[in-house]
Amino acid sequence: MKESGGGGGGGGGRKQGSFGGGGGGGGASGASPCAACKLLRRRCAEGCVFAPYFPADEPHKFANVHKVFGASNVNKMLQELPMEQRGDAVSSMVYEANARVRDPVYGCVGAISSLQHQINSLQTQLALAQAEVIRLRLQQSAAGQGPTTSTPSAGRFIDPLAKPFFDMDMIVDQSMWSC
């Protein structure tokens, strides 16, 4: 994918800091360039718009964002936003880019759909567990009113063949942490 204004190899013909402009206060004057400038093989200018959000020690973060959105588009998006919203925007772009790398067709929508399916499944399991609790309480109260009420253990009678509702709790816990 080729962007207009992205890439460039060695600095010939490009103005220094063309991704800068309005910046974010962190270029790499003397220090190592940010992950964006390093990937794009350019000098990290003083007002580099990428530097505050894509530090040099997290190159994978910008690599995925660049692959999905393109450096020029990310630059434009960041420059159009107020400074206080840029961090959240970068966080969203990184999340979406990582999701697109994992699932190129659905991206975040696939993750959301999977979580929604999991919620529906857990709600069904919860309803079954609640029904089991009600069934056991009814069975217990019916056993307490029957002819065996004279024995002290009759109030605690539980059918040994009935599936205990605690098994459902284990299923809920396992499926909840499987993602």
Side-chain angles (χ1 to χ4, degrees), residues 112-176:
I112 291 168
S113 176
S114 173
L115 290 171
Q116 187 62 47
H117 177 72
Q118 198 172 7
I119 287 170
N120 292 340
S121 174
L122 291 172
Q123 286 175 333
T124 302
Q125 289 178 6
L126 178 61
L128 289 172
Q130 289 170 334
E132 179 74 7
V133 168
I134 291 170
R135 186 187 70 78
L136 289 173
R137 284 184 181 158
L138 289 174
Q139 183 179 6
Q140 194 173 30
S141 67
Q145 294 174 355
T148 58
T149 56
S150 60
T151 62
S153 65
R156 293 185 222 141
F157 174 77
I158 295 178
D159 183 8
L161 299 176
K163 184 178 178 185
F165 68 95
F166 296 113
D167 287 348
M168 286 302 219
D169 290 339
M170 295 304 291
I171 293 171
V172 169
D173 288 342
Q174 290 170 355
S175 64
M176 190 167 76

Side-chain angles (χ1 to χ4, degrees), residues 13-164:
R14 292 191 50 94
K15 286 195 270 178
Q16 174 185 346
S18 65
F19 280 128
S29 57
S32 68
C34 67
C37 292
K38 194 179 279 189
L39 183 78
L40 299 171
R41 296 180 182 172
R42 41 186 298 106
R43 185 169 165 235
C44 193
E46 185 66 32
C48 177
V49 73
F50 297 126
Y53 312 107
F54 299 105
D57 60 342
E58 297 177 2
H60 62 281
K61 209 169 142 178
F62 181 75
N64 286 343
V65 169
H66 174 58
K67 186 186 293 184
V68 173
F69 296 105
S72 181
N73 292 329
V74 173
N75 181 41
K76 288 175 193 171
M77 284 188 264
L78 289 177
Q79 286 185 348
E80 290 176 3
L81 289 173
M83 292 290 286
E84 60 272 3
Q85 293 179 355
R86 290 181 182 180
D88 291 336
V90 167
S91 178
S92 295
M93 284 188 274
V94 168
Y95 186 82
E96 174 65 27
N98 289 338
R100 285 278 169 197
V101 167
R102 278 192 308 272
D103 185 355
V105 176
Y106 295 109
C108 285
V109 174
I112 291 168
S113 176
S114 173
L115 290 171
Q116 187 62 47
H117 177 72
Q118 198 172 7
I119 287 170
N120 292 340
S121 174
L122 291 172
Q123 286 175 333
T124 302
Q125 289 178 6
L126 178 61
L128 289 172
Q130 289 170 334
E132 179 74 7
V133 168
I134 291 170
R135 186 187 70 78
L136 289 173
R137 284 184 181 158
L138 289 174
Q139 183 179 6
Q140 194 173 30
S141 67
Q145 294 174 355
T148 58
T149 56
S150 60
T151 62
S153 65
R156 293 185 222 141
F157 174 77
I158 295 178
D159 183 8
L161 299 176
K163 184 178 178 185

